[in-house]
mmCIF file of all heavy atoms in Angstrom:
data_model
loop_
_atom_site.group_PDB
_atom_site.id
_atom_site.type_symbol
_atom_site.label_atom_id
_atom_site.label_comp_id
_atom_site.label_asym_id
_atom_site.label_seq_id
_atom_site.Cartn_x
_atom_site.Cartn_y
_atom_site.Cartn_z
ATOM 1 N N ARG A 1 22.160 163.940 142.793
ATOM 2 C CA ARG A 1 22.460 163.283 141.451
ATOM 3 C C ARG A 1 21.433 163.507 140.454
ATOM 4 O O ARG A 1 21.788 163.651 139.241
ATOM 5 C CB ARG A 1 22.901 161.907 141.722
ATOM 6 C CG ARG A 1 24.134 161.684 142.628
ATOM 7 C CD ARG A 1 25.359 161.950 141.764
ATOM 8 N NE ARG A 1 25.620 160.916 140.797
ATOM 9 C CZ ARG A 1 26.139 159.795 140.963
ATOM 10 N NH1 ARG A 1 26.514 159.452 142.211
ATOM 11 N NH2 ARG A 1 26.210 158.925 139.953
ATOM 12 N N LEU A 2 20.241 163.464 140.798
ATOM 13 C CA LEU A 2 19.159 163.388 139.739
ATOM 14 C C LEU A 2 18.361 164.676 139.785
ATOM 15 O O LEU A 2 17.528 164.824 138.750
ATOM 16 C CB LEU A 2 18.295 162.158 140.027
ATOM 17 C CG LEU A 2 18.783 160.817 139.952
ATOM 18 C CD1 LEU A 2 17.764 159.782 140.152
ATOM 19 C CD2 LEU A 2 19.552 160.619 138.760
ATOM 20 N N LEU A 3 18.405 165.550 140.756
ATOM 21 C CA LEU A 3 17.572 166.705 140.739
ATOM 22 C C LEU A 3 18.574 168.037 140.780
ATOM 23 O O LEU A 3 17.951 169.020 140.908
ATOM 24 C CB LEU A 3 16.582 166.803 141.918
ATOM 25 C CG LEU A 3 15.496 165.741 141.821
ATOM 26 C CD1 LEU A 3 14.605 165.735 143.124
ATOM 27 C CD2 LEU A 3 14.588 165.932 140.593
ATOM 28 N N SER A 4 19.753 167.724 140.698
ATOM 29 C CA SER A 4 20.845 168.934 140.979
ATOM 30 C C SER A 4 20.538 169.678 142.152
ATOM 31 O O SER A 4 20.494 170.886 142.153
ATOM 32 C CB SER A 4 20.749 169.757 139.602
ATOM 33 O OG SER A 4 21.234 169.126 138.511
ATOM 34 N N THR A 5 20.022 168.965 143.274
ATOM 35 C CA THR A 5 19.766 169.696 144.548
ATOM 36 C C THR A 5 20.596 169.091 145.620
ATOM 37 O O THR A 5 20.094 168.360 146.372
ATOM 38 C CB THR A 5 18.301 169.448 144.780
ATOM 39 O OG1 THR A 5 17.504 169.853 143.655
ATOM 40 C CG2 THR A 5 17.862 170.218 145.949
ATOM 41 N N PRO A 6 21.889 169.551 145.704
ATOM 42 C CA PRO A 6 22.713 169.178 146.763
ATOM 43 C C PRO A 6 22.489 169.723 148.161
ATOM 44 O O PRO A 6 22.841 169.194 149.176
ATOM 45 C CB PRO A 6 24.139 169.326 146.321
ATOM 46 C CG PRO A 6 23.951 170.636 145.505
ATOM 47 C CD PRO A 6 22.597 170.463 144.776
ATOM 48 N N TRP A 7 21.824 170.937 148.130
ATOM 49 C CA TRP A 7 21.783 171.756 149.278
ATOM 50 C C TRP A 7 20.513 171.357 150.082
ATOM 51 O O TRP A 7 19.426 171.925 149.741
ATOM 52 C CB TRP A 7 21.817 173.190 148.970
ATOM 53 C CG TRP A 7 22.893 173.662 148.001
ATOM 54 C CD1 TRP A 7 22.826 173.846 146.728
ATOM 55 C CD2 TRP A 7 24.322 173.992 148.337
ATOM 56 N NE1 TRP A 7 24.020 174.294 146.147
ATOM 57 C CE2 TRP A 7 24.894 174.320 147.178
ATOM 58 C CE3 TRP A 7 24.903 174.008 149.644
ATOM 59 C CZ2 TRP A 7 26.260 174.614 147.213
ATOM 60 C CZ3 TRP A 7 26.227 174.281 149.678
ATOM 61 C CH2 TRP A 7 26.958 174.672 148.351
ATOM 62 N N LEU A 8 20.617 170.743 151.042
ATOM 63 C CA LEU A 8 19.389 170.191 151.938
ATOM 64 C C LEU A 8 19.694 170.597 153.283
ATOM 65 O O LEU A 8 20.765 170.493 153.972
ATOM 66 C CB LEU A 8 19.233 168.646 151.812
ATOM 67 C CG LEU A 8 19.006 168.017 150.447
ATOM 68 C CD1 LEU A 8 18.722 166.591 150.685
ATOM 69 C CD2 LEU A 8 17.812 168.748 149.759
ATOM 70 N N LEU A 9 18.560 171.161 153.899
ATOM 71 C CA LEU A 9 18.529 171.520 155.319
ATOM 72 C C LEU A 9 17.405 170.837 155.988
ATOM 73 O O LEU A 9 16.292 170.734 155.462
ATOM 74 C CB LEU A 9 18.336 173.028 155.500
ATOM 75 C CG LEU A 9 19.517 173.901 154.979
ATOM 76 C CD1 LEU A 9 19.182 175.408 155.115
ATOM 77 C CD2 LEU A 9 20.748 173.771 155.905
ATOM 78 N N HIS A 10 17.542 170.418 157.198
ATOM 79 C CA HIS A 10 16.507 169.780 157.962
ATOM 80 C C HIS A 10 15.557 170.953 158.447
ATOM 81 O O HIS A 10 15.988 172.009 158.821
ATOM 82 C CB HIS A 10 17.149 168.990 158.997
ATOM 83 C CG HIS A 10 16.212 167.999 159.755
ATOM 84 N ND1 HIS A 10 15.158 168.403 160.675
ATOM 85 C CD2 HIS A 10 16.075 166.666 159.538
ATOM 86 C CE1 HIS A 10 14.480 167.401 160.960
ATOM 87 N NE2 HIS A 10 14.953 166.226 160.348
ATOM 88 N N LEU A 11 14.336 170.624 158.565
ATOM 89 C CA LEU A 11 13.362 171.570 158.977
ATOM 90 C C LEU A 11 13.575 172.067 160.310
ATOM 91 O O LEU A 11 13.188 173.158 160.744
ATOM 92 C CB LEU A 11 11.892 171.086 158.900
ATOM 93 C CG LEU A 11 10.878 172.095 158.485
ATOM 94 C CD1 LEU A 11 11.153 172.569 157.041
ATOM 95 C CD2 LEU A 11 9.454 171.485 158.526
ATOM 96 N N ASP A 12 14.390 171.268 161.135
ATOM 97 C CA ASP A 12 14.508 171.670 162.606
ATOM 98 C C ASP A 12 15.491 172.856 162.636
ATOM 99 O O ASP A 12 15.551 173.599 163.634
ATOM 100 C CB ASP A 12 15.395 170.578 163.302
ATOM 101 C CG ASP A 12 14.321 169.520 163.857
ATOM 102 O OD1 ASP A 12 13.158 169.826 163.741
ATOM 103 O OD2 ASP A 12 14.718 168.482 164.359
ATOM 104 N N VAL A 13 16.185 173.267 161.531
ATOM 105 C CA VAL A 13 17.109 174.446 161.435
ATOM 106 C C VAL A 13 16.146 175.577 161.591
ATOM 107 O O VAL A 13 16.573 176.694 162.178
ATOM 108 C CB VAL A 13 17.645 174.454 160.034
ATOM 109 C CG1 VAL A 13 18.449 175.849 159.789
ATOM 110 C CG2 VAL A 13 18.795 173.372 159.964
ATOM 111 N N PHE A 14 14.961 175.551 161.276
ATOM 112 C CA PHE A 14 13.976 176.671 161.204
ATOM 113 C C PHE A 14 13.128 176.696 162.512
ATOM 114 O O PHE A 14 12.007 177.190 162.478
ATOM 115 C CB PHE A 14 13.180 176.723 159.988
ATOM 116 C CG PHE A 14 13.949 176.597 158.727
ATOM 117 C CD1 PHE A 14 14.097 175.439 158.095
ATOM 118 C CD2 PHE A 14 14.875 177.689 158.403
ATOM 119 C CE1 PHE A 14 14.917 175.293 156.942
ATOM 120 C CE2 PHE A 14 15.658 177.659 157.225
ATOM 121 C CZ PHE A 14 15.679 176.427 156.523
ATOM 122 N N ARG A 15 13.544 176.131 163.533
ATOM 123 C CA ARG A 15 12.727 175.900 164.869
ATOM 124 C C ARG A 15 12.227 177.252 165.406
ATOM 125 O O ARG A 15 11.201 177.310 165.922
ATOM 126 C CB ARG A 15 13.557 175.273 165.950
ATOM 127 C CG ARG A 15 14.870 175.882 166.263
ATOM 128 C CD ARG A 15 15.585 174.997 167.421
ATOM 129 N NE ARG A 15 16.080 173.811 166.954
ATOM 130 C CZ ARG A 15 15.889 172.730 167.500
ATOM 131 N NH1 ARG A 15 15.221 172.628 168.674
ATOM 132 N NH2 ARG A 15 16.426 171.527 167.082
ATOM 133 N N ASN A 16 12.947 178.294 165.147
ATOM 134 C CA ASN A 16 12.620 179.620 165.654
ATOM 135 C C ASN A 16 11.409 180.248 164.827
ATOM 136 O O ASN A 16 10.710 181.106 165.384
ATOM 137 C CB ASN A 16 13.762 180.581 165.717
ATOM 138 C CG ASN A 16 14.802 180.248 166.793
ATOM 139 O OD1 ASN A 16 14.589 179.622 167.667
ATOM 140 N ND2 ASN A 16 16.074 180.605 166.296
ATOM 141 N N GLN A 17 11.145 179.614 163.588
ATOM 142 C CA GLN A 17 9.991 180.088 162.805
ATOM 143 C C GLN A 17 8.806 179.259 162.942
ATOM 144 O O GLN A 17 7.736 179.696 162.505
ATOM 145 C CB GLN A 17 10.433 180.242 161.413
ATOM 146 C CG GLN A 17 11.695 181.053 161.084
ATOM 147 C CD GLN A 17 12.167 180.976 159.611
ATOM 148 O OE1 GLN A 17 11.206 180.856 158.742
ATOM 149 N NE2 GLN A 17 13.368 181.023 159.391
ATOM 150 N N LEU A 18 8.970 178.169 163.577
ATOM 151 C CA LEU A 18 7.852 177.283 163.718
ATOM 152 C C LEU A 18 7.137 177.166 165.041
ATOM 153 O O LEU A 18 7.912 177.278 166.138
ATOM 154 C CB LEU A 18 8.344 175.716 163.299
ATOM 155 C CG LEU A 18 9.004 175.659 161.877
ATOM 156 C CD1 LEU A 18 9.566 174.329 161.720
ATOM 157 C CD2 LEU A 18 8.159 176.082 160.770
ATOM 158 N N ASN A 19 5.941 177.014 165.072
ATOM 159 C CA ASN A 19 5.276 176.887 166.433
ATOM 160 C C ASN A 19 5.676 175.497 167.041
ATOM 161 O O ASN A 19 6.000 174.612 166.231
ATOM 162 C CB ASN A 19 3.803 177.226 166.338
ATOM 163 C CG ASN A 19 3.008 176.198 165.494
ATOM 164 O OD1 ASN A 19 3.289 174.996 165.675
ATOM 165 N ND2 ASN A 19 2.055 176.739 164.668
ATOM 166 N N PRO A 20 5.388 175.338 168.297
ATOM 167 C CA PRO A 20 5.817 174.042 168.923
ATOM 168 C C PRO A 20 5.041 172.821 168.372
ATOM 169 O O PRO A 20 5.519 171.750 168.331
ATOM 170 C CB PRO A 20 5.443 174.280 170.390
ATOM 171 C CG PRO A 20 5.532 175.742 170.595
ATOM 172 C CD PRO A 20 5.086 176.329 169.321
ATOM 173 N N THR A 21 3.730 173.112 167.950
ATOM 174 C CA THR A 21 3.007 171.996 167.355
ATOM 175 C C THR A 21 3.691 171.470 166.058
ATOM 176 O O THR A 21 3.796 170.335 165.757
ATOM 177 C CB THR A 21 1.558 172.411 167.084
ATOM 178 O OG1 THR A 21 0.955 172.821 168.422
ATOM 179 C CG2 THR A 21 0.707 171.319 166.559
ATOM 180 N N THR A 22 4.109 172.448 165.217
ATOM 181 C CA THR A 22 4.659 172.078 164.000
ATOM 182 C C THR A 22 6.011 171.465 164.113
ATOM 183 O O THR A 22 6.309 170.403 163.588
ATOM 184 C CB THR A 22 4.916 173.326 163.017
ATOM 185 O OG1 THR A 22 3.706 174.077 162.863
ATOM 186 C CG2 THR A 22 5.524 173.008 161.782
ATOM 187 N N LEU A 23 6.663 171.989 165.189
ATOM 188 C CA LEU A 23 8.057 171.360 165.357
ATOM 189 C C LEU A 23 8.056 170.034 165.906
ATOM 190 O O LEU A 23 8.744 169.101 165.650
ATOM 191 C CB LEU A 23 8.896 172.375 166.359
ATOM 192 C CG LEU A 23 10.352 172.023 166.496
ATOM 193 C CD1 LEU A 23 11.066 172.138 165.075
ATOM 194 C CD2 LEU A 23 10.921 172.975 167.550
ATOM 195 N N GLY A 24 7.189 169.875 166.869
ATOM 196 C CA GLY A 24 7.084 168.495 167.550
ATOM 197 C C GLY A 24 6.247 167.400 166.844
ATOM 198 O O GLY A 24 6.353 166.345 167.188
ATOM 199 N N GLY A 25 5.415 167.866 165.848
ATOM 200 C CA GLY A 25 4.499 166.985 165.263
ATOM 201 C C GLY A 25 5.169 166.158 164.186
ATOM 202 O O GLY A 25 6.427 166.415 163.737
ATOM 203 N N ARG A 26 4.551 165.080 163.752
ATOM 204 C CA ARG A 26 5.240 164.175 162.820
ATOM 205 C C ARG A 26 4.705 164.563 161.329
ATOM 206 O O ARG A 26 5.212 164.013 160.374
ATOM 207 C CB ARG A 26 4.861 162.742 163.075
ATOM 208 C CG ARG A 26 5.462 162.298 164.475
ATOM 209 C CD ARG A 26 5.190 160.890 164.759
ATOM 210 N NE ARG A 26 5.704 159.971 163.819
ATOM 211 C CZ ARG A 26 6.844 159.428 163.777
ATOM 212 N NH1 ARG A 26 7.784 159.775 164.786
ATOM 213 N NH2 ARG A 26 7.305 158.705 162.819
ATOM 214 N N SER A 27 3.548 165.301 161.302
ATOM 215 C CA SER A 27 3.079 165.555 160.014
ATOM 216 C C SER A 27 3.746 166.814 159.375
ATOM 217 O O SER A 27 3.068 167.861 159.229
ATOM 218 C CB SER A 27 1.473 165.800 160.123
ATOM 219 O OG SER A 27 0.856 165.897 158.843
ATOM 220 N N ARG A 28 4.880 166.541 158.904
ATOM 221 C CA ARG A 28 5.677 167.632 158.337
ATOM 222 C C ARG A 28 6.777 167.012 157.591
ATOM 223 O O ARG A 28 7.242 165.926 157.919
ATOM 224 C CB ARG A 28 6.316 168.695 159.340
ATOM 225 C CG ARG A 28 7.172 168.083 160.406
ATOM 226 C CD ARG A 28 7.649 169.165 161.357
ATOM 227 N NE ARG A 28 8.377 168.686 162.437
ATOM 228 C CZ ARG A 28 9.827 168.601 162.334
ATOM 229 N NH1 ARG A 28 10.455 168.966 161.302
ATOM 230 N NH2 ARG A 28 10.483 168.118 163.309
ATOM 231 N N PRO A 29 7.291 167.677 156.447
ATOM 232 C CA PRO A 29 8.427 167.148 155.797
ATOM 233 C C PRO A 29 9.781 167.275 156.750
ATOM 234 O O PRO A 29 9.769 168.029 157.571
ATOM 235 C CB PRO A 29 8.521 167.990 154.510
ATOM 236 C CG PRO A 29 7.920 169.387 154.933
ATOM 237 C CD PRO A 29 6.762 168.930 155.755
ATOM 238 N N ASP A 30 10.766 166.458 156.276
ATOM 239 C CA ASP A 30 11.994 166.529 156.937
ATOM 240 C C ASP A 30 12.920 167.472 156.422
ATOM 241 O O ASP A 30 13.695 168.127 157.255
ATOM 242 C CB ASP A 30 12.680 165.115 156.863
ATOM 243 C CG ASP A 30 11.841 164.078 157.533
ATOM 244 O OD1 ASP A 30 11.556 164.156 158.871
ATOM 245 O OD2 ASP A 30 11.355 163.071 156.964
ATOM 246 N N LEU A 31 13.125 167.611 155.042
ATOM 247 C CA LEU A 31 14.162 168.327 154.519
ATOM 248 C C LEU A 31 13.584 169.386 153.540
ATOM 249 O O LEU A 31 12.595 169.155 152.823
ATOM 250 C CB LEU A 31 15.066 167.432 153.790
ATOM 251 C CG LEU A 31 15.765 166.309 154.591
ATOM 252 C CD1 LEU A 31 16.630 165.435 153.793
ATOM 253 C CD2 LEU A 31 16.668 166.909 155.740
ATOM 254 N N VAL A 32 14.358 170.372 153.318
ATOM 255 C CA VAL A 32 14.004 171.341 152.250
ATOM 256 C C VAL A 32 15.406 171.565 151.476
ATOM 257 O O VAL A 32 16.484 171.625 152.087
ATOM 258 C CB VAL A 32 13.488 172.712 152.720
ATOM 259 C CG1 VAL A 32 14.549 173.319 153.735
ATOM 260 C CG2 VAL A 32 13.225 173.719 151.611
ATOM 261 N N GLY A 33 15.318 171.627 150.163
ATOM 262 C CA GLY A 33 16.539 171.623 149.224
ATOM 263 C C GLY A 33 16.389 172.711 148.199
ATOM 264 O O GLY A 33 15.268 172.957 147.737
ATOM 265 N N GLN A 34 17.548 173.154 147.836
ATOM 266 C CA GLN A 34 17.593 174.182 146.721
ATOM 267 C C GLN A 34 18.413 173.716 145.648
ATOM 268 O O GLN A 34 19.539 173.246 145.815
ATOM 269 C CB GLN A 34 18.098 175.471 147.306
ATOM 270 C CG GLN A 34 18.088 176.768 146.198
ATOM 271 C CD GLN A 34 18.541 178.067 146.759
ATOM 272 O OE1 GLN A 34 19.478 178.038 147.627
ATOM 273 N NE2 GLN A 34 17.919 179.107 146.427
ATOM 274 N N ASN A 35 17.984 173.821 144.449
ATOM 275 C CA ASN A 35 18.784 173.279 143.305
ATOM 276 C C ASN A 35 19.618 174.319 142.708
ATOM 277 O O ASN A 35 19.694 175.483 143.182
ATOM 278 C CB ASN A 35 17.839 172.603 142.189
ATOM 279 C CG ASN A 35 16.964 173.720 141.538
ATOM 280 O OD1 ASN A 35 17.208 174.899 141.500
ATOM 281 N ND2 ASN A 35 16.043 173.277 140.738
#
């Protein structure tokens, strides 16, 4: 509504691109969106 960014994907979608530490850790964002 406020950023014209309806398209959001969870970072887990990209599990094949992320190493296990990144995927399992808590110090990472949850979502990525395109406006």
Side-chain angles (χ1 to χ4, degrees):
R1 295 286 292 277
L2 299 187
L3 294 176
S4 297
T5 306
W7 310 99
L8 297 185
L9 290 173
H10 197 280
L11 214 65
D12 281 353
V13 170
F14 309 101
R15 60 179 67 230
N16 292 331
Q17 301 178 36
L18 305 177
N19 64 44
T21 302
T22 300
L23 187 63
R26 298 179 61 85
S27 185
R28 61 183 176 89
D30 295 300
L31 305 172
V32 58
Q34 188 176 35
N35 69 13

